[in-house]
Amino acid sequence: MNATHITYILKPGELSLKGGNREGFERVLMRNLRKLLALRGLEGSGTRAEGGGGRFFVSCPPEAAPRVEDALNHLFGISGWAGTRSCEKRVESLLAACVDEGTELYGRGMRSFKVEARRTDKTFPLDSYGIRVRAGDAVREAVPGLVVDVRSPQAVIQVEIRERAYVYSMSRPGLRGLPVGTAGRGLLLLSGGIDSPVAGFRMASRGMGLDAVYFHAFPYTSEEARQKVLRLAEILAAYTLGIRLWTVGFTEVQQRIKAGVREEWTTVMLRMAMMEAAEKLARRTGAKCLVTGDSLSQVASQTVENLSCAESLTRLPVLRPLVGADKEEIIRLARTIGTYETSILPYEDCCVLFSPAHPVLRGGVDEAVGYYRQLDLAGEIDRALKNGARH
Ligand code: ATP
Ligand code: MG
């Protein structure tokens, strides 16, 4: 790698546990990393990603560093990453780089450290034990406030002797999880709310690729509400390496529901209709499950009884990664992902067509299925899907 370049080292997360599958996971991780770099216009900029066998590196010219770091912050499957100090393979240069690293760690409030070393180039005059001892001593002497603690150090200075010498400490947290594309694809029911984008993020963090569907009730819901969902999908897509989003007009379906059942049942019926439509779409697109942002008992439609009604006619698994999460936790994650500010923009949801004053709270599945069948929505749902738009 070029000496004037910045080199980043990436620490793979859970995928290192995957035994025989590890190589496959690493291949997907590399593919995703290269794609994230390419999406930031870094192809042909002198930026290179390489790795395998549990080690991943990106090197880039200094001006590309902010975009590389942004890419690393969107990569599932790494537990951490760090910029390295790279230097020539001479003992004095290596010790000086370790002292610089120690000084920086001290400046960031660290008070204890240890050194770990790896040597792929066996011609380097010190072996890894020798590196640990010499570098430890050099840092201790140069930075008196930093003491060696081999058991539970606050910081670990890592040394790698490869084609050059690299010194770093794993300072930046990664997104963890598994590389997107290693766990099939799911269809996310994406509303304009806070929860569903976070639910999609959670599934993506388990390696799942995402398609998404948004049901709107134009003209009762506005074009702005639709734009908001497009924007949310775009933010999510930066982590999932693209999302195919369908927007489906549900006004007729909703009107039929409104006309056909008692008011208190309309919300449950709408959920069932969304599930039916989503399942049909998933079968066309090859998604293996449906994903929603439901969180138990958050609102009337999310009691365990009403969740059962919603999914009672669906054969695909319905995954609800937030079912046990509380709102604060969800909001915290939404802020981290970057969806929160968009989610709270004040545009109405399609449920505005009917928000019954006293919705059924504990719907019985048999009763719900009975009403739902009477509504005979299949034709209307097929029409809605046919007229839906893909983005
Ligand atoms: P969110 O914040 O995700 O909108 P919510 O707390 O508002 O959720 P509900 O309105 O009951 O709760 O929606 C529950 C889930 O149903 C949503 O998380 C989403 O997965 C799905 N959903 C609701 N409305 C829509 C919609 N218009 N289009 C697609 N999916 C929807
Ligand atoms: Mg909502």
Side-chain angles (χ1 to χ4, degrees), residues 12 22-23 26 51-56 118:
R22 184 168 127 175
E23 262 180 39
E26 290 192 347
R55 278 283 183 273
F56 300 89
R118 264 210 197 204

Side-chain angles (χ1 to χ4, degrees), residues 53-72:
R55 278 283 183 273
F56 300 89
F57 295 90
V58 180
S59 81
C60 68
E63 65 275 12
R67 282 175 290 161
V68 169
E69 296 188 6
D70 187 54
L72 297 179

Side-chain angles (χ1 to χ4, degrees), residues 96-132:
C98 289
V99 166
D100 287 346
E101 187 69 24
T103 307
E104 190 186 319
L105 289 170
Y106 182 76
R108 294 214 310 260
M110 304 294 159
R111 293 299 176 260
S112 63
F113 79 105
K114 73 171 175 182
V115 179
E116 279 180 1
R118 264 210 197 204
R119 199 174 59 137
T120 42
D121 173 2
K122 305 290 181 198
T123 64
F124 191 71
L126 297 173
D127 64 9
S128 41
Y129 175 75
I131 296 171
R132 286 203 302 273

Side-chain angles (χ1 to χ4, degrees), residues 274-345:
M274 282 185 186
M275 289 289 175
E276 181 179 343
E279 178 166 41
K280 282 179 166 159
L281 184 60
R283 295 209 185 275
R284 274 192 356 224
T285 65
K288 299 283 188 297
C289 64
L290 306 180
V291 178
T292 76
D294 293 306
S295 163
L296 190 63
S297 301
Q298 195 188 83
V299 291
S301 58
Q302 297 173 18
T303 61
V304 71
E305 290 84 356
N306 285 355
L307 292 177
S308 306
C309 291
E311 70 181 24
S312 57
L313 295 176
T314 309
R315 299 268 292 282
L316 286 177
V318 179
L319 304 184
R320 299 182 170 96
L322 305 182
V323 75
D326 66 49
K327 197 77 190 187
E328 258 180 57
E329 209 179 326
I330 297 171
I331 288 177
R332 210 174 321 123
L333 197 48
R335 285 188 196 278
T336 316
I337 306 169
T339 50
Y340 183 73
E341 296 304 324
T342 304
S343 285
I344 58 171
L345 292 174

Side-chain angles (χ1 to χ4, degrees), residues 189-191 193-196 215 271 292-294 298 301-302 350:
L189 281 80
L190 181 63
S191 71
I194 295 170
D195 304 327
S196 43
F215 301 102
R271 290 284 173 252
T292 76
D294 293 306
Q298 195 188 83
S301 58
Q302 297 173 18
C350 75

Side-chain angles (χ1 to χ4, degrees), residues 63-194:
E63 65 275 12
R67 282 175 290 161
V68 169
E69 296 188 6
D70 187 54
L72 297 179
N73 283 331
H74 286 81
L75 180 65
F76 284 115
I78 55 172
S79 65
W81 58 271
T84 65
R85 297 170 199 277
S86 85
C87 62
E88 34 176 353
K89 287 189 280 190
R90 291 195 3 245
V91 175
E92 310 82 79
S93 320
L94 176 66
L95 297 183
C98 289
V99 166
D100 287 346
E101 187 69 24
T103 307
E104 190 186 319
L105 289 170
Y106 182 76
R108 294 214 310 260
M110 304 294 159
R111 293 299 176 260
S112 63
F113 79 105
K114 73 171 175 182
V115 179
E116 279 180 1
R118 264 210 197 204
R119 199 174 59 137
T120 42
D121 173 2
K122 305 290 181 198
T123 64
F124 191 71
L126 297 173
D127 64 9
S128 41
Y129 175 75
I131 296 171
R132 286 203 302 273
V133 172
R134 291 282 300 275
D137 287 347
V139 172
R140 212 154 37 90
E141 278 161 29
V143 195
L146 204 52
V147 301
V148 174
D149 179 349
V150 290
R151 290 251 168 96
S152 57
Q154 290 173 348
V156 180
I157 296 178
Q158 313 260 7
V159 174
E160 299 229 7
I161 310 293
R162 305 169 69 92
E163 69 287 358
R164 292 176 61 77
Y166 297 101
V167 175
Y168 60 94
S169 44
M170 209 41 87
S171 50
R172 310 285 288 268
L175 288 180
R176 301 181 182 278
L178 298 168
V180 171
T182 57
R185 208 145 33 80
L187 177 61
L188 171 67
L189 281 80
L190 181 63
S191 71
I194 295 170

